């Protein structure tokens, strides 16, 4: 009796576009670039695909709806889940950083931090013994210091151009982020015969992308 296919949940949007080449090389049946495809589920190949918001990916995997998924480390740091992170795909690289106005240093603590990553920020400053007031925001976070709502922000930074455009400079980095393959803990044990080779293909595809061309 054939085994049911693996189920992978992938993030919609920017992260999927960044990881698509690696995922296709590993054998995941993604639609080809340019194809209009708004399906939330693709079945019939060696792997069934689900598509979800990036913050929902760890939930699907943790609860066993999917055997594996792809999500950024920034999401995993903000909403810890009881899952494994066995493979770094090496794409969608960015960093979680503290940024402050370029024209003034941070005041003496406690100071005010605007962020949508409240858990990651709280954990970082708590580990350093620095008291802060966290101000949860979900958009236009760079405005907070200019409007005197906060002394600094914690946010994802890629090139730093958005910070510069808004008069901010990076103060420190909390951690580096990239797209990670995450795995359900039960699937890792019970479906190792099919999940193991898939993880090996994903890791090989990621290394092939990272290798410099001769």
């Amino acid at each position: 009796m054939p085994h049911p296919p693996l189920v992978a949940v992938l993030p919609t949007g920017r992260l999927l576009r960044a990881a698509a080449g690696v995922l296709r090389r590993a054998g995941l049946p993604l639609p080809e670039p340019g194809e209009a495809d708004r399906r939330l589920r693709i079945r019939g190949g060696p792997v069934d695909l689900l598509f979800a918001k990036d913050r929902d990916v760890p939930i699907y995997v943790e609860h066993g709806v999917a055997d594996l998924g792809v999500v950024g480390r920034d999401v995993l740091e903000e909403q810890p889940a009881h899952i494994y992170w066995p493979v770094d795909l090496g794409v969608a690289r960015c960093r979680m950083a503290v940024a402050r106005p370029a024209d003034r240093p941070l005041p003496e603590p406690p100071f005010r931090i605007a962020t949508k990553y409240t858990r990651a920020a709280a954990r970082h400053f708590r580990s350093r013994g620095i008291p802060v007031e966290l101000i949860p925001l979900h958009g236009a976070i760079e405005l907070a210091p200019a409007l005197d709502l906060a002394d600094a922000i914690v946010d994802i930074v890629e090139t730093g151009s958005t910070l510069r455009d808004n008069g901010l400079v990076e103060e420190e980095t909390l951690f580096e982020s990239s797209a990670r393959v995450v795995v359900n803990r039960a699937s890792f044990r019970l479906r190792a015969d099919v999940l193991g080779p898939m993880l090996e293909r994903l890791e090989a595809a990621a290394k092939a992308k990272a290798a410099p061309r001769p």
Side-chain angles (χ1 to χ4, degrees), residues 4-75:
L6 291 171
V7 178
V9 57
L10 305 179
T12 54
R14 179 188 63 85
L15 185 57
L16 180 57
R17 290 192 295 272
V22 173
L23 299 177
R24 288 192 186 95
R25 282 196 297 275
L28 272 67
L30 288 177
E32 290 302 315
E35 288 186 12
D37 197 325
R38 293 180 173 82
R39 289 176 291 173
L40 297 178
R41 188 171 191 177
I42 297 177
R43 308 176 73 173
V47 181
D48 284 353
L49 300 182
L50 307 176
F51 298 91
K53 295 287 188 180
D54 57 355
R55 290 179 177 272
D56 292 337
V57 168
I59 298 171
Y60 281 104
V61 174
E62 182 175 25
H63 289 271
V65 174
D67 300 292
L68 70 159
V70 173
V71 70
R73 180 183 170 185
D74 57 307
V75 173

Side-chain angles (χ1 to χ4, degrees), residues 24-197:
R24 288 192 186 95
R25 282 196 297 275
L28 272 67
L30 288 177
E32 290 302 315
E35 288 186 12
D37 197 325
R38 293 180 173 82
R39 289 176 291 173
L40 297 178
R41 188 171 191 177
I42 297 177
R43 308 176 73 173
V47 181
D48 284 353
L49 300 182
L50 307 176
F51 298 91
K53 295 287 188 180
D54 57 355
R55 290 179 177 272
D56 292 337
V57 168
I59 298 171
Y60 281 104
V61 174
E62 182 175 25
H63 289 271
V65 174
D67 300 292
L68 70 159
V70 173
V71 70
R73 180 183 170 185
D74 57 307
V75 173
L76 295 167
E77 293 284 356
E78 179 61 15
Q79 50 181 74
H82 201 52
I83 54 181
Y84 296 131
W85 313 358
V87 180
D88 183 350
L89 294 180
V91 297
R93 292 191 179 279
C94 54
R95 56 196 177 275
M96 186 76 72
V98 179
R100 59 168 176 82
D103 60 357
R104 63 180 186 269
L106 285 174
E108 290 296 316
F111 43 79
R112 298 164 298 162
I113 298 288
T115 184
K116 66 179 178 180
Y117 297 97
T118 53
R119 290 182 181 176
R123 191 165 56 247
H124 170 74
F125 288 108
R126 186 169 57 247
S127 71
R128 300 184 59 198
I130 299 175
V132 296
E133 177 189 353
L134 295 176
I135 301 172
L137 290 178
H138 299 284
I141 293 171
E142 294 83 4
L143 276 176
L147 299 176
D148 202 31
L149 178 62
D151 300 301
I153 67 172
V154 168
D155 203 8
I156 285 294
V157 177
E158 293 184 55
T159 65
S161 60
T162 301
L163 296 182
R164 292 189 293 272
D165 290 346
N166 288 279
L168 301 173
V169 295
E170 292 182 57
E171 179 74 13
E172 63 176 322
T173 297
L174 278 66
F175 55 84
E176 302 288 336
S177 182
S178 57
R180 305 299 176 97
V181 177
V182 293
V183 177
N184 176 270
R185 295 169 69 93
S187 296
F188 192 77
R189 297 192 309 273
L190 302 176
R191 306 206 64 191
D193 55 335
V194 288
L195 187 54

